Amino acid sequence: MRGRNPAAAMTQAEKGEPENGREKEKEQRGVKRPILPAAIPEPLQEHIQSDYVVVIHPGSGTLRIGRATDTHPAAIPHVIARRHKQSGQPSSCDKWLLREGLNKPESNEQRQNGLKMVDQAIWSKKMSNGTRRIPAVPEQARAYNKQIRPAILDHDSGVKWTNTSHNEEYFVGEEAYFVNPADGYDIHYPIRRGQLNVHSGPGGSVTAVLADLEVIWSHVIHKFLEIQLKDLKYYRCILLIPDIYNRQHVKEMVNMVLMKMGFSGVIIHQESVCAVYGSGLTSACVVDIGDQKTSICCVEDGISHRNTRLCLAYGGSDVTRGFFWLMQRAGFPYRGCQLTNTLDALLLQQLKETYTHLDQDICGLQDHEFQVRHPDSPALLYQMRLGDEKLQAPMALFYPATFGIVGQKMTSLQHRSHGDPEDPHDEHYLLATQSKQDQSSKAAADRKAMSKPSMFDDPRSQGMDGERGHMMEADLGPSQCDGMGHSNDGEEISATLFSRKSMVSQFEGKALGLDKAILHSIDCCASDDTKKKMYSSILVVGGGLMFLKAQKFLQHRILNKMPPSFRRVVENVEVITRPKVESISIVYTDFTLLLACHCPM
């Protein structure tokens, strides 16, 4: 110990530090370590009470909102009526059942062709007793319905217009439906087909749509949850978004929830993941059939597989409109029914929910009756005779040509984000910096290998770069890693890009039937084990497939069309149409609570 202070040596020995500790510290000073966030001391971690977590699920037709502990959320129509700024201003009303592409010259021909495919499918499937189904003759129903005249039940329908005498600035939900068109209010639906309803007409700007969302959500929170808006600073929000989402729209909604409404924190969940956990499952192929769109996604252990996501631009409202067209062919006795009238649209939706089915054993003509109750009009009772129309309407989900929609994008896939100029750390920045870090770490490893030749002989070091690239692709999805290849892989990268673009154009250019879309989504899973898991658990949520015998019908379609190789190994194709939790909005599992606890104050 020449030249060293004995007291210092004793101190090091007492502390248990090796003699070369300082040399190691000097070596480590030049090594860059990742910056980790400061750990929050245990006493400062606040326990979040479940009563102070609000779950918001904004659908195209229905808004579901409630506390995380509620068994069922408050569900109201996602619509707002706003008073005109100036008297005499023309009214502007978003249409519910009408959409672009219905009045093209090819629309009627396409409907007829789709109906022929539906009739062929109905005839080809035998009934439960083994016999062929006898189709009903629509001419017989038409002859009967044309003779029907309504009976007056009461000279007062009992339905009133919404009282607008106090000049309220807006009405929300059911009240908005019953605002008299002559009272000077505009009707807006802020969400259409799962996205913000941005259009070129009045109230169609992003700012106007967000203002409508803020008013509707705040109104429901105050009225149904009985939470004072000034107290939202004590609450956190769980916001459900579609599986295929617009990143910019999500950003705007998050800013609105935090900055406008005043929540203390917010976390984003995808609908499919919440549906799986809310139904008591861990993995499933989720089929969410809503009012305006149908989304399909495979979820495995709480992870939504990006490549399996599909969004079909049709839903329950398209079935309602198709049912109206079929009833008109059969001489629908309520001849004043108009798709542009909101109250008539509500009536048609009620008729669809009451009479349509997917039960092949129900055949022949049957008599029905329904009532028409409008404000300032008598209550009318109609008789109606229908046959196969009740089965043909929901089968349009499997043959979407029956909807008669021409020239519209009917299938969407998850696209690569274009980046956000306002976000300095968007995914493009992360990809670029991650690539640079990989290059610098590889150069450092090469220098270290030159100083220590034995490292070349270690097989683990040779597979490190490949493993890192595979992990990166698994986290970000192939679409995010298309532009990250090395220079010597240019041909492979170009082929991958071309293949993906071809796949996108192939599926986005046509309307897939529901069963074909499910099979395509499952086929995009990475492994056969995952595919078998998805075939064994197909979870149907949303209100678009609440038809009699829908579960058995969809199961039969999947079994007949799934690949033979999986038909032999999959023990049971289970289709769940009545999950344990009816609403996918209220999902308060330990998984959700864990994520909510990480919301910033």
Side-chain angles (χ1 to χ4, degrees):
M1 290 254 177
R2 183 180 299 176
R4 177 176 292 188
N5 188 347
M10 183 64 66
T11 303
Q12 287 185 1
E14 291 176 351
K15 293 182 179 180
E17 294 181 3
E19 293 183 1
N20 60 349
R22 292 185 178 181
E23 284 75 10
K24 286 190 174 182
E25 290 182 1
K26 291 180 180 179
E27 291 179 2
Q28 294 177 354
R29 286 174 187 173
V31 179
K32 295 183 180 180
R33 296 180 178 179
I35 301 176
L36 299 177
I40 302 176
E42 190 67 25
L44 297 181
Q45 291 184 355
E46 180 185 359
H47 176 69
I48 297 179
Q49 297 182 4
S50 55
D51 287 343
Y52 286 85
V53 177
V54 176
V55 184
I56 302 177
H57 181 198
S60 301
T62 304
L63 168 67
R64 294 177 177 86
I65 187 169
R67 288 182 173 87
T69 51
D70 294 343
T71 304
H72 299 288
I76 67 165
H78 207 180
V79 59
I80 184 173
R82 283 191 176 273
R83 180 166 51 86
H84 290 168
K85 298 294 184 181
Q86 300 175 355
S87 60
Q89 180 180 341
S91 296
S92 172
C93 297
D94 295 341
K95 304 306 177 185
W96 179 7
L97 297 182
L98 294 177
R99 58 181 294 174
E100 296 291 333
L102 293 174
N103 297 321
K104 302 290 185 180
E106 307 89 352
S107 296
N108 190 57
E109 181 182 356
Q110 183 167 304
R111 283 193 202 96
Q112 298 292 345
N113 292 335
L115 188 58
K116 289 179 182 178
M117 291 188 288
V118 168
D119 290 337
Q120 178 64 27
I122 293 175
W123 181 85
S124 62
K125 185 176 183 295
K126 294 182 180 181
M127 296 190 296
S128 58
N129 59 7
T131 62
R132 295 286 181 185
R133 193 174 187 276
I134 301 176
V137 182
E139 285 76 12
Q140 296 179 1
R142 187 183 307 115
Y144 175 84
N145 291 330
K146 284 187 175 182
Q147 299 175 0
I148 295 298
R149 296 295 179 267
I152 298 178
L153 295 177
D154 195 335
H155 291 283
D156 185 5
S157 64
V159 179
K160 304 297 182 183
W161 293 113
T162 300
N163 184 9
T164 60
S165 60
H166 299 291
N167 292 326
E168 287 86 347
E169 184 178 349
Y170 62 86
F171 292 98
V172 170
E174 291 283 350
E175 292 183 332
Y177 280 154
F178 288 90
V179 170
N180 193 328
D183 287 348
Y185 281 79
D186 291 337
I187 308 297
H188 295 300
Y189 297 90
I191 304 290
R192 294 281 87 174
R193 320 216 178 275
Q195 307 294 336
L196 295 185
N197 187 18
V198 179
H199 55 83
S200 58
S205 65
V206 175
T207 304
V209 173
L210 292 172
D212 290 341
L213 288 177
E214 180 185 354
V215 170
I216 296 173
W217 297 0
S218 300
H219 175 86
V220 175
I221 289 173
H222 177 68
K223 181 177 180 179
F224 293 92
L225 304 188
E226 298 180 350
I227 299 175
Q228 298 295 326
L229 298 182
K230 62 183 179 61
D231 294 334
L232 288 181
K233 59 186 177 182
Y234 304 114
Y235 288 79
R236 289 175 170 85
C237 172
I238 299 177
L239 179 63
L240 273 66
I241 63 173
D243 300 309
I244 295 181
Y245 55 87
N246 185 309
R247 184 183 180 92
Q248 187 64 28
H249 289 180
V250 174
K251 173 186 172 182
E252 296 292 347
M253 286 192 291
V254 169
N255 287 337
M256 181 199 71
V257 168
L258 293 175
M259 308 304 296
K260 299 291 186 179
M261 300 181 67
F263 278 97
S264 62
V266 62
I267 190 166
I268 306 299
H269 271 324
Q270 287 177 298
E271 294 172 342
S272 60
V273 178
C274 291
V276 170
Y277 276 92
S279 302
L281 305 172
T282 57
S283 302
C285 177
V286 182
V287 184
D288 184 3
I289 307 175
D291 181 71
Q292 300 278 322
K293 55 91 178 173
T294 298
S295 60
I296 303 171
C297 177
C298 292
V299 177
E300 184 180 22
D301 298 328
I303 302 298
S304 168
H305 290 289
R306 181 189 184 97
N307 289 340
T308 65
R309 300 174 194 167
L310 280 175
C311 182
L312 310 176
Y314 56 80
S317 61
D318 297 283
V319 177
T320 302
R321 188 183 58 253
F323 186 44
F324 176 56
W325 174 67
L326 291 169
M327 288 192 298
Q328 282 185 314
R329 293 175 73 248
F332 188 47
Y334 176 31
R335 295 170 184 85
C337 186
Q338 299 290 332
L339 291 176
T340 55
N341 188 320
T342 303
L343 301 185
D344 286 342
L346 289 173
L347 172 65
L348 292 174
Q349 184 183 28
Q350 180 185 356
L351 294 177
K352 179 198 71 173
E353 294 173 354
T354 304
Y355 297 125
T356 55
H357 61 83
L358 285 170
D359 188 356
Q360 294 257 139
D361 290 343
I362 300 178
C363 60
L365 296 174
Q366 293 179 331
D367 292 339
H368 307 282
E369 63 180 26
F370 63 94
Q371 298 180 15
V372 177
R373 293 179 178 269
H374 288 348
D376 301 334
S377 300
L380 303 177
L381 176 65
Y382 286 89
Q383 302 289 332
M384 176 176 59
R385 180 171 293 176
L386 292 176
D388 292 343
E389 293 83 8
K390 297 176 293 183
L391 176 59
Q392 292 167 337
M395 282 193 65
L397 293 171
F398 303 91
Y399 299 93
T402 314
F403 294 135
I405 304 170
V406 177
Q408 298 295 305
K409 181 179 177 182
M410 297 298 293
T411 306
S412 299
L413 304 175
Q414 182 70 63
H415 285 289
R416 183 175 179 176
S417 174
H418 297 292
D420 185 359
E422 297 182 359
D423 184 3
H425 299 290
D426 63 0
E427 56 185 319
H428 292 280
Y429 169 82
L430 295 177
L431 289 173
T433 54
Q434 192 171 11
S435 179
K436 293 177 181 178
Q437 289 174 0
D438 288 343
Q439 294 176 4
S440 60
S441 61
K442 184 178 180 181
D446 291 342
R447 289 194 298 269
K448 194 172 183 180
M450 291 178 65
S451 61
K452 295 181 179 181
S454 60
M455 287 293 293
F456 283 108
D457 299 330
D458 189 354
R460 293 174 299 178
S461 63
Q462 296 177 4
M464 191 174 299
D465 291 334
E467 182 180 357
R468 184 185 297 113
H470 175 73
M471 291 175 60
M472 186 191 311
E473 183 173 356
D475 292 338
L476 299 174
S479 62
Q480 301 294 343
C481 297
D482 287 341
M484 293 180 58
H486 300 289
S487 58
N488 56 354
D489 294 334
E491 295 180 0
E492 183 178 352
I493 297 296
S494 300
T496 303
L497 283 172
F498 179 78
S499 175
R500 178 170 179 80
K501 289 180 179 179
S502 300
M503 182 185 67
V504 169
S505 60
Q506 175 186 359
F507 286 99
E508 290 189 345
K510 61 182 180 179
L512 289 178
L514 182 61
D515 49 350
K516 293 181 180 180
I518 294 173
L519 293 172
H520 171 74
S521 177
I522 296 177
D523 188 57
C524 288
C525 293
S527 65
D528 289 346
D529 290 337
T530 302
K531 294 177 184 179
K532 289 190 292 185
K533 194 183 299 184
M534 296 301 121
Y535 279 120
S536 302
S537 181
I538 299 175
L539 176 63
V540 181
V541 295
L545 201 67
M546 303 288 285
F547 304 109
L548 178 66
K549 297 297 182 68
Q551 183 266 345
K552 187 178 294 186
F553 188 90
L554 180 59
Q555 185 180 40
H556 178 268
R557 303 274 303 190
I558 297 297
L559 278 170
N560 283 349
K561 294 189 176 183
M562 66 186 296
S565 57
F566 287 99
R567 198 178 302 160
R568 291 190 296 266
V569 297
V570 176
E571 296 180 359
N572 181 32
V573 175
E574 184 177 4
V575 177
I576 306 170
T577 57
R578 302 282 181 174
K580 298 176 183 178
V581 179
E582 295 181 0
S583 170
I584 67 173
S585 297
I586 299 306
V587 183
Y588 190 64
T589 59
D590 294 336
F591 170 73
T592 300
L593 179 59
L594 175 65
L595 291 175
C597 289
H598 292 284
C599 292
M601 285 297 293

